[in-house]
Amino acid sequence: MASKQLRGEPLVARILEATLEEVARAGYKNLSIEAVAERAGVNKTTIYRRWPTPEALVLAAFESVSDKGSPPNTGSLRGDLLDYLRRYRAVCRQPVMLSLMRMLFAGGGKGKLARLIKEMTERSDCDALVMFERAVARGELPKDTDLPLVRDLVLGSAQNLILFRHDTCTDETLERVIDVMLLGAAQGGRRK
């Protein structure tokens, strides 16, 4: 096998990458440890020694690619959102993100895996909310703005374009979405 010389972190990284590729190809329910081993160029016993179940393997793979960075802070909400959405668009063009999206659309798995996906989504929502809270503090949005609603509208609209109209989702398109949504947020989008 090609990976016999790999050990430690490089070997783990190769196995986790192969896992994500297999989830993207076959889906979580059809994941085969044998297929992951073949793709990674290792024996399946190498995988089972570290991850005793397919769930544990997929959990480790998704944890390895979860975004643990902080939200952008460019000094303006528009700049933060544009940076945030550019990074999101770049991630969505990778096979890893295709794996995650396939899992989310298929129900997100069960047990620890479902909890991980929920935690990743909640962390992303909280990180994004920080950008909007800073905008209120800078006076870019009214203090009584319904921030979760505005966040969901801005990011949801952009996410739809990024995921389903990715061929036409240019920086200019993202800027227009941000501008339209922020104009509406500045004029309304307030809590009652």
Side-chain angles (χ1 to χ4, degrees), residues 3 6-20 28 31-34 36-65 112-113 116:
S3 296
L6 286 181
R7 296 192 186 282
E9 288 305 310
L11 177 62
V12 168
R14 180 174 282 181
I15 293 169
L16 296 178
E17 182 179 337
T19 301
L20 292 167
Y28 175 65
L31 182 70
S32 157
I33 297 298
E34 291 79 12
V36 172
E38 184 177 324
R39 186 179 286 271
V42 299
N43 291 315
K44 63 182 180 179
T45 55
T46 302
I47 295 172
Y48 280 118
R49 270 195 299 265
R50 288 175 173 82
W51 303 282
T53 65
E55 181 186 61
L57 176 61
V58 173
L59 184 66
F62 280 113
E63 284 177 336
S64 75
V65 296
K112 291 180 183 177
L113 186 58
L116 173 66

Side-chain angles (χ1 to χ4, degrees), residues 86-190:
R86 283 176 177 154
R87 291 188 329 199
Y88 182 76
R89 182 182 59 194
V91 168
C92 286
R93 290 183 174 158
Q94 299 173 6
V96 167
M97 188 60 172
L98 293 176
S99 299
L100 179 57
M101 297 317 298
R102 176 180 253 174
M103 293 213 37
L104 289 172
F105 291 137
K110 297 179 181 178
K112 291 180 183 177
L113 186 58
R115 284 192 300 277
L116 173 66
I117 291 172
K118 183 178 179 190
E119 287 171 15
M120 289 170 66
T121 302
E122 287 172 357
R123 183 171 51 237
S124 177
D125 286 349
C126 288
D127 286 350
L129 196 57
V130 167
M131 295 184 293
F132 291 90
E133 290 167 346
R134 286 192 307 238
V136 169
R138 287 190 297 255
E140 294 176 272
L141 293 174
K143 290 187 186 304
D144 61 346
T145 300
D146 186 340
L147 296 181
L149 175 65
V150 173
R151 174 204 57 208
D152 290 349
L153 289 172
V154 173
L155 299 183
S157 298
Q159 186 179 56
N160 181 59
L161 290 170
I162 289 168
L163 293 175
F164 301 109
R165 297 184 182 171
H166 53 85
D167 294 339
T168 60
C169 189
T170 63
D171 281 359
E172 183 181 336
T173 304
L174 291 177
E175 289 173 7
R176 288 189 352 238
V177 167
I178 291 167
D179 290 343
V180 166
M181 293 305 223
L182 292 183
L183 179 63
Q187 302 303 314
R190 299 183 178 143

Side-chain angles (χ1 to χ4, degrees), residues 64-95:
S64 75
V65 296
S66 68
D67 183 15
K68 296 173 182 84
S70 58
N73 189 0
T74 65
S76 75
L77 180 57
R78 187 180 191 278
D80 291 351
L81 288 169
L82 189 55
D83 185 48
Y84 183 89
L85 292 172
R86 283 176 177 154
R87 291 188 329 199
Y88 182 76
R89 182 182 59 194
V91 168
C92 286
R93 290 183 174 158
Q94 299 173 6

